[in-house]
Amino acid sequence: MINFNVPPYTGKEMEYIRQCVENQKICGDGSFTKKCNEWIEHKTDTAKCLMTTSCTHALELAALLAEIKPGDEVILPAYTFVSTADAFVLRGAVPVFVDIRPDTMNIDENLIEAAITDKTKAIAPVHYAGVSCEMDKIMEIAEKYHLTVIEDAAQGIMSSYKGHALGTIGDFGAFSFHETKNFSMGEGGALLIRDEKHIEDAEIIREKGTNRSKFFRGQIDKYTWVNFGSSYLPSEMNVAYLYAQLEIADEITDHRLDCWNRYYERLKPLADAGKIELPVVPEGCVHNAHMFYIKAADLEQRSAFIQFMKENGIMCVFHYIPLHTAPAGLKYGRFHGEDKYTTKESERLVRLPMFYKLTLEQVDHICDKVIEFFKG
Ligand SMILES: *Cc1c(COP(=O)(O)O)cnc(C)c1O
């Protein structure tokens, strides 16, 4: 059987976790957290990275830093994971969903401006499959209307747009290190901060509203409660697990790209014959092979395909019920404009197995089965 996902494991994780335990340093912000922060800051070239307990929490932290208030509106794609909306709903804001582009499944940058009202405070683009949104256009709109940009780059570590790492273009960016992502710590994430002016506030909110980070750096002689806050720092043991993967991040990414490219080459003839559609990576976007998906003709064909693959021992999945059609989406948000592609494309998309230890032989076998189904 070929699973849809296998969590990344490089072999060094247990040794690093053992070090935490033996050094009696298992709570947050120890040496592995420092190493991960610095690794990400260096790799993405951003002012600050703060490890968090999840991408969801990194987005919540960003919503607090952006001072999102009850009644504010935040523009985001209708096709995304719930966390993109939750972070703002928790602040009392209204998520305003707009349609996606059928080629990348990302927010249609040309529909954003029409969704802006005098209540709009932020735009939250989501880089689906680690392929960037049209950030030049989004940043231009944000500047014109003085909006904060919070990038949901949950799937976007190691990807870039015109040479800039995803998560570093907007005011804030959020990575996920969930078990299903390219690099993992079980549950975890990171907040990326572009402007230094936000660093101190972010450190305080992340540490229960205290100035403990400053205290640890020796900048003050005691720490105290200085603002509202929560606890968004992960345990050292989780971060130690992640660090083993960051050390070989290029190798992991290259391997995923090899699998992605093999899928693409092998399935291209099916796409050329009009039987399926393949992912599109626009010019200027470098992606991280977070996922490989295909699109069937419609919902019915997709269901039959998933069943056929399952019978052949290959687990394929779909995801994201468009948020504006979900119970909470109906309750808290609204859709602006016409749902031309979100629902239609979401019903056609299916993800094929993709993980670090997937072999090219397995990819070939999966492709054989995909071809068998769509030719039949
Ligand atoms: C995985 C994911 C999240 C949530 O990440 P967690 O680390 O599980 O909180 C948010 N947004 C998108 C687009 C994701 O893919």
Side-chain angles (χ1 to χ4, degrees):
M1 195 181 75
I2 304 176
N3 274 327
F4 166 68
N5 178 57
V6 175
Y9 184 72
T10 69
K12 277 208 181 154
E13 286 86 345
M14 292 312 285
E15 164 58 22
Y16 289 168
I17 291 171
R18 199 178 55 78
Q19 284 177 24
C20 298
V21 176
E22 286 183 354
N23 296 338
Q24 299 180 346
K25 182 64 195 173
I26 59 173
C27 69
D29 283 339
S31 62
F32 283 106
T33 304
K34 247 183 226 134
K35 280 189 208 167
C36 285
N37 286 341
E38 281 163 14
W39 189 94
I40 293 171
E41 282 159 15
H42 183 250
K43 193 78 185 176
T44 65
D45 193 22
T46 199
K48 188 74 194 164
C49 167
L50 292 172
M51 296 302 297
T52 59
T53 29
S54 65
C55 174
T56 305
H57 278 165
L59 291 167
E60 280 182 35
L61 195 42
L64 286 165
L65 289 164
E67 297 181 46
I68 303 296
K69 297 269 172 353
D72 289 349
E73 293 180 357
V74 178
I75 296 172
L76 64 154
Y79 185 70
T80 180
F81 189 56
V82 297
S83 302
T84 325
D86 270 329
F88 305 108
V89 170
L90 276 175
R91 305 263 61 79
V94 178
V96 176
F97 303 111
V98 303
D99 208 11
I100 57 165
R101 294 166 46 145
D103 58 349
T104 56
M105 304 298 282
N106 282 335
I107 192 166
D108 186 336
E109 66 279 1
N110 293 314
L111 300 176
I112 294 173
E113 199 161 0
I116 293 174
T117 71
D118 54 10
K119 291 180 177 160
T120 308
K121 286 288 153 57
I123 308 172
V126 179
H127 306 296
Y128 184 71
V131 176
S132 181
C133 297
E134 217 25 80
M135 290 308 290
D136 277 351
K137 175 83 192 207
I138 291 172
M139 295 310 291
E140 185 191 307
I141 296 168
E143 239 160 74
K144 184 170 163 193
Y145 293 92
H146 308 290
L147 307 175
T148 303
V149 174
I150 299 169
E151 297 177 67
D152 181 339
Q155 307 174 8
I157 189 167
M158 305 292 277
S159 294
S160 63
Y161 173 76
K162 298 186 180 174
H164 300 282
L166 300 192
T168 68
I169 303 162
D171 300 76
F172 305 105
F175 285 159
S176 173
F177 301 116
H178 183 259
E179 172 180 299
T180 52
K181 301 303 201 283
N182 290 25
F183 313 123
S184 179
M185 50 193 265
E187 302 280 355
L191 175 71
L192 276 64
I193 301 171
R194 190 192 60 200
D195 300 323
E196 281 178 0
K197 64 178 185 206
H198 294 297
I199 296 175
E200 191 174 337
D201 284 341
E203 286 179 339
I204 288 169
I205 296 172
R206 178 173 168 273
E207 262 278 22
K208 300 105 179 161
T210 71
N211 51 5
R212 197 168 178 195
S213 299
K214 260 187 157 171
F215 172 73
F216 277 138
R217 282 196 296 265
Q219 292 165 308
I220 44 176
D221 57 13
K222 57 176 177 289
Y223 80 88
T224 184
W225 186 30
V226 291
N227 199 352
F228 60 82
S230 188
S231 184
Y232 292 126
L233 67 167
S235 118
E236 266 297 278
M237 293 179 289
N238 291 60
V239 186
Y241 187 97
L242 176 70
Y243 189 65
Q245 293 151 53
L246 295 187
E247 281 186 313
I248 58 159
D250 287 319
E251 193 183 313
I252 292 175
T253 305
D254 287 348
H255 179 72
R256 294 182 76 107
L257 283 166
D258 285 346
C259 291
W260 197 100
N261 290 331
R262 180 73 72 105
Y263 270 132
Y264 195 93
E265 281 159 31
R266 292 275 333 263
L267 300 177
K268 183 115 192 333
L270 271 186
D272 290 342
K275 305 270 188 196
I276 59 168
E277 276 177 36
L278 294 176
V280 172
V281 181
E283 224 185 288
C285 299
V286 174
H287 75 104
N288 58 0
H290 172 61
M291 75 169 83
F292 195 91
Y293 65 81
I294 62 172
K295 286 184 190 167
D298 52 26
L299 182 59
E300 195 185 341
Q301 191 188 42
R302 181 180 73 178
S303 303
F305 171 72
I306 291 173
Q307 184 57 30
F308 171 83
M309 296 301 274
K310 195 175 166 193
E311 282 159 14
N312 284 281
I314 301 163
M315 308 312 283
C316 299
V317 304
F318 67 88
H319 63 171
Y320 304 157
I321 305 296
L323 295 187
H324 64 297
T325 67
L330 290 166
K331 186 169 166 192
Y332 297 117
R334 65 181 166 82
F335 192 95
H336 185 274
E338 187 195 345
D339 175 3
K340 209 166 154 191
Y341 294 112
T342 302
T343 299
K344 183 165 156 261
E345 298 302 305
S346 74
E347 290 178 346
R348 301 173 57 206
L349 184 144
V350 53
R351 302 168 66 183
L352 305 183
M354 176 61 89
F355 48 87
Y356 173 45
K357 293 282 169 76
L358 187 68
T359 67
L360 289 175
E361 290 69 35
Q362 286 175 315
V363 173
D364 279 336
H365 173 67
I366 297 163
C367 289
D368 289 342
K369 292 296 163 191
V370 176
I371 292 163
E372 190 183 322
F373 177 86
F374 284 100
K375 278 225 166 119

